[in-house]
Amino acid sequence: MNGWAGQILRVYLTEGKIVKEPLSEEMRLKYIGGRGANSKVLFDELKPGIDALGPENIFCVGVGPLNGTAFPASSRWTVSSKSAVNEGLSDGNGGGDFSTELKFAGYDQMIFYGRSPKPVYLYINDKHVELRDASKVWGKGTHQTNALLAQELREPELRVMCIGQAGENQVRVSKIMTNITRAGGKGGVSAVMGSKNLKAIAVRGTGSVKIAKPKEFHQAVKKAYGKIMASPFYNMFRQEGSLFLIKRYHELGSLPTRNLQAGYFEGWEKLTSEAFEKQFAVKHKGCSACPISCAHYFQVKDPKYGVYSESNEYGTTYPLGPKLGIDNLPAILHMQGICDDLGLDTHACGNTVAFAMECWQRGLLTLKDTDGLDLSWGNADAIIKLLPRIAYRQGFGDVLADGSEKSAQKIPGSQICLKTVKGVEVSALFLGKGMNFVQGLGYATATRGADHLRGGVQMYATGSRRLKETLGVEGAAATIKNPRSIEGKGVFLGLDQKISALFNSLNICAWAVGGLFGGLEPDEIAELYSLATGENSSGDDLLTTGERIYNIEKMIQLRAGFRRKDDTLPPNFLKMEETPRGPTGIDKTEFDNMLSQYYEYMGWDYDGIPKAETLVRLGLPDYAAGYRKHA
């Protein structure tokens, strides 16, 4: 088989049984791998109404056909389960080189069932696969877990996916880690892993990935690398990583500040890539097969906040910085190190702490409630003390451990402080003067709850011939140039959601495709995919695959009870306001019109349920026949 390794692992934790089976043609050609394959398994195999933290939930790890090849930035992996936050879909996507190692070992997907009677980890060494006792690493942080497993297995080249103490304690604002600092797991998928007594997956692979047309693939790869590196944004991404967004979003009035009460932060200059590079950066670090190398090793020598780690990103800086009113970069980097080791998700955990700090601001929490911690904006030292309490579910930390929506049920009057969609915290962006309305629509309709990465932020469609074909040249230009107009935004988002589902299923990095303006377009991705796998596909074919995957995920959410009323935004986003620094929010009527435009483009009815003819067009006739039953 070309591209794909050709095998999946089904691991029955209750029985301690492991079954190998071939990857089906349907899964390869209709869902590709990664996110698509995982979502298909969950839709087909999850029983309705189960407890997300019970043994009936399913935990999936998936990689794609381009992982382990020279395709640019083909480093990603996807983990998925029923959401422990909103009972719908939960997944996470991370980098490093765990996916490469899994492919070299010979596997495309792992599916875990049941619950082990004791803590275990899965050990894979090429064809050898076994469950092993994890008692020596249970209770340990992610750093020590990596070191102890490498020592126990005598494998210095071992690659480990694991949870920290937060996942073990089924904290819903936790995350899964690989390569010590590469994270994924929105929606509590780490807690699901902990609920199964599964501490880690340790992989060593010595094989390779077979390419259908190696000579032609190599030539196409060189061309793709050349295009990425010629992009005017290449050097910016390489030098600054995603930290360039601090300045960018501040200028747009969209830097999430003090639990999304504002889009400007007065201390933003202390958190920029320039400030980081000047004081703390050590050297660049890249993921597998990546020409961009956007990550950095960094060191803080201050004895109070001392830390040596890597991958300071926008996604670790905004939730522990502006969102909490903190402009102390050494403290933020120190908090990032704590979160990585304990396995706390900086997005979900930071946003939940921001919710608590707004509760404090409004007088809804006092020192008596918070175990003596002063949660005033900017108090980094208090948050440093709070983070381990969340991971261990100690005292007030236990109140916050399940995310802000569940915390609000325990804090009277705190609903006003909630900034969630389908129970998931609105994360990386405030809907400020320069932010495109498509981002707000993306938050409202994302298939795992509020999500800045599920479509709308990649801006892949900028200049895309497909956007021009759908809206016309003038219409496409207008929807890009007029961010606070609703015209064309439903089409823009729909296209972006298809491409995001596609590259998450191929498990390639957003920076190499739409996220890096000037990156690879669907037709270029299709050429490389076809040469690698031998399955001839056009860009339009792959976008249809992305659309099929998105509809499967939509039906998972519908089965969880979500409808049009849930495809919405926090109240402060659905309120147009004129401020001294420009307008914020969107008028609710305009938002509803934009949502209808989006549903129409996606082929869904008024309530957001895929029409039968849409599912038939996508090659899902069995679902079309009873799609309302599934919904």
Side-chain angles (χ1 to χ4, degrees):
M1 189 176 294
N2 301 306
W4 293 276
Q7 284 194 103
I8 68 172
L9 292 173
R10 294 188 186 270
V11 183
Y12 299 89
L13 293 164
T14 305
E15 300 85 357
K17 184 175 71 171
I18 299 168
V19 177
K20 297 180 183 180
E21 65 181 51
L23 180 68
S24 71
E25 181 176 307
E26 179 193 27
M27 194 65 86
R28 286 190 295 112
L29 302 185
K30 295 182 73 172
Y31 300 95
I32 298 178
R35 173 178 157 188
N38 288 357
S39 294
K40 179 65 162 56
V41 167
L42 297 179
F43 183 75
D44 285 349
E45 298 188 28
L46 275 178
K47 298 177 181 177
I50 66 164
D51 179 4
L53 295 179
E56 299 86 0
N57 201 353
I58 298 170
F59 170 64
C60 302
V61 181
V63 296
L66 298 175
N67 292 128
T69 75
F71 186 100
S74 52
S75 62
R76 312 296 289 184
W77 45 263
T78 302
V79 290
S80 310
S81 71
K82 178 175 182 176
S83 174
V85 171
N86 65 21
E87 302 300 311
L89 173 67
S90 168
D91 64 34
N93 185 269
D97 58 5
F98 178 87
S99 60
T100 299
E101 201 74 18
L102 186 62
K103 284 290 290 295
F104 286 175
Y107 306 98
D108 298 294
Q109 190 181 38
M110 297 176 283
I111 308 169
F112 294 85
Y113 302 89
R115 172 185 290 152
S116 172
K118 64 179 183 180
V120 294
Y121 70 92
L122 183 71
Y123 175 46
I124 301 172
N125 190 329
D126 292 332
K127 293 181 180 180
H128 176 79
V129 185
E130 66 171 314
L131 287 166
R132 296 174 63 106
D133 178 28
S135 58
K136 290 182 180 179
V137 290
W138 195 261
K140 301 292 193 296
T142 62
H143 297 146
Q144 198 172 3
T145 297
N146 273 263
L148 289 172
L149 291 181
Q151 182 182 51
E152 176 180 317
L153 298 169
R154 298 181 181 179
E155 287 282 2
E157 297 299 318
L158 196 71
R159 294 296 180 264
V160 175
M161 172 180 284
C162 68
I163 58 175
Q165 295 92 332
E168 292 177 5
N169 292 316
Q170 299 175 38
V171 169
R172 287 175 169 86
V173 295
S174 56
K175 63 186 176 184
I176 291 170
M177 304 295 297
T178 65
N179 294 82
I180 300 179
T181 60
R182 300 296 177 174
K186 205 176 186 77
V189 68
S190 172
V192 172
M193 196 170 166
S195 75
K196 294 185 173 300
N197 276 330
L198 179 62
K199 176 65 175 181
I201 303 164
V203 182
R204 180 72 178 107
T206 60
S208 60
V209 178
K210 187 178 179 182
I211 301 297
K213 297 182 178 180
K215 183 178 178 179
E216 294 88 342
F217 180 72
H218 179 67
Q219 291 171 343
V221 163
K222 287 178 66 177
K223 182 180 176 181
Y225 272 72
K227 180 179 182 182
I228 290 171
M229 295 170 73
S231 163
F233 294 91
Y234 169 77
N235 283 326
M236 179 182 72
F237 279 98
R238 179 174 176 79
Q239 293 300 321
E240 304 183 51
S242 59
L243 269 184
F244 84 93
L245 293 170
I246 293 287
K247 180 179 180 180
R248 173 66 173 162
Y249 289 149
H250 176 79
E251 291 171 344
L252 293 174
S254 296
L255 185 61
T257 300
R258 296 183 178 85
N259 198 33
L260 292 167
Q261 295 183 82
Y264 295 93
F265 182 52
E266 63 279 5
W268 70 274
E269 289 181 286
K270 299 179 182 179
L271 309 178
T272 61
S273 57
E274 293 85 355
F276 170 74
E277 185 78 24
K278 182 178 180 180
Q279 300 175 72
F280 307 113
V282 176
K283 65 177 181 179
H284 289 283
K285 170 73 181 298
C287 294
S288 178
C290 182
I292 303 168
S293 297
C294 66
H296 298 76
Y297 287 109
F298 64 84
Q299 184 173 19
V300 178
K301 296 181 180 179
D302 181 334
K304 183 176 182 180
Y305 300 120
V307 62
Y308 183 81
S309 190
E310 67 164 281
S311 301
N312 179 43
E313 301 174 351
Y314 180 72
T316 56
T317 302
Y318 88 82
L320 302 175
K323 204 98 181 247
L324 309 184
I326 296 172
D327 62 9
N328 183 336
L329 187 52
I332 292 169
L333 295 173
H334 182 71
M335 286 188 277
Q336 177 190 329
I338 292 172
C339 288
D340 284 350
D341 196 39
L342 292 172
L344 287 169
D345 177 22
T346 54
H347 289 276
C349 185
N351 291 328
T352 299
V353 172
F355 156 80
M357 294 177 89
E358 185 177 346
C359 290
W360 177 277
Q361 171 194 325
R362 294 177 180 273
L364 302 174
L365 290 173
T366 66
L367 289 172
K368 182 179 178 181
D369 303 305
T370 63
D371 305 324
L373 294 178
D374 179 349
L375 297 187
S376 298
W377 299 116
N379 190 349
D381 291 344
I383 308 309
I384 289 171
K385 294 177 182 178
L386 178 59
L387 292 175
R389 300 181 191 183
I390 295 174
Y392 286 101
R393 290 187 173 272
Q394 295 172 342
F396 182 64
D398 189 38
V399 175
L400 303 183
D402 292 324
S404 59
E405 186 118 333
K406 288 180 169 56
S407 299
Q409 299 170 15
K410 304 173 185 178
I411 304 173
S414 64
Q415 290 287 328
I416 193 174
C417 305
L418 273 181
K419 309 292 192 304
T420 58
V421 176
K422 302 180 184 73
V424 176
E425 290 79 14
V426 170
S427 50
L429 300 167
F430 180 72
L431 205 59
K433 67 172 185 179
M435 203 64 235
N436 200 309
F437 277 171
V438 74
Q439 183 61 58
L441 187 63
Y443 274 139
T445 60
T447 50
R448 58 178 186 176
D451 197 331
H452 64 289
L453 293 175
R454 225 32 166 219
V457 73
Q458 272 73 37
M459 301 291 279
Y460 126 84
T462 304
S464 167
R465 71 170 176 83
R466 290 170 179 81
L467 191 67
K468 293 174 183 176
E469 288 170 356
T470 307
L471 297 176
V473 174
E474 292 183 2
T479 195
I480 298 298
K481 293 179 180 179
N482 300 309
R484 295 187 64 79
S485 162
I486 69 170
E487 295 305 316
K489 297 303 188 293
V491 176
F492 187 111
L493 178 64
L495 280 169
D496 213 29
Q497 287 176 336
K498 293 175 190 177
I499 192 70
S500 72
L502 171 63
F503 66 66
N504 285 159
S505 300
L506 290 168
N507 270 330
I508 55 180
C509 182
W511 289 145
V513 283
L516 179 61
F517 304 159
L520 304 179
E521 288 274 353
D523 296 325
E524 295 164 311
I525 296 171
E527 179 188 10
L528 285 155
Y529 167 83
S530 299
L531 292 172
T533 65
E535 302 291 345
N536 292 324
S537 295
S538 66
D540 288 334
D541 292 335
L542 291 184
L543 284 177
T544 298
T545 300
E547 184 180 4
R548 180 182 303 115
I549 292 164
Y550 210 84
N551 275 265
I552 285 287
E553 294 177 351
K554 179 65 174 178
M555 290 194 289
I556 291 174
Q557 293 291 59
L558 290 167
R559 194 161 58 186
F562 295 114
R563 296 294 187 274
R564 183 187 182 106
K565 63 180 176 55
D566 304 295
D567 284 352
T568 188
L569 291 169
N572 70 317
F573 275 44
L574 290 176
K575 182 179 180 182
M576 181 82 79
E577 286 189 317
E578 291 293 338
T579 74
R581 289 188 165 182
T584 65
I586 179 174
D587 176 78
K588 189 177 186 306
T589 299
E590 282 200 309
F591 174 82
D592 287 340
N593 290 336
M594 186 168 61
L595 183 63
S596 293
Q597 175 194 124
Y598 165 75
Y599 282 176
E600 181 179 359
Y601 173 75
M602 294 297 284
W604 301 345
D605 69 13
Y606 177 82
D607 217 17
I609 300 173
K611 297 177 180 178
E613 56 265 34
T614 299
L615 297 178
V616 169
R617 175 177 60 80
L618 293 173
L620 302 171
D622 293 340
Y623 299 140
Y627 74 106
R628 287 194 177 274
K629 175 183 176 183
H630 285 295

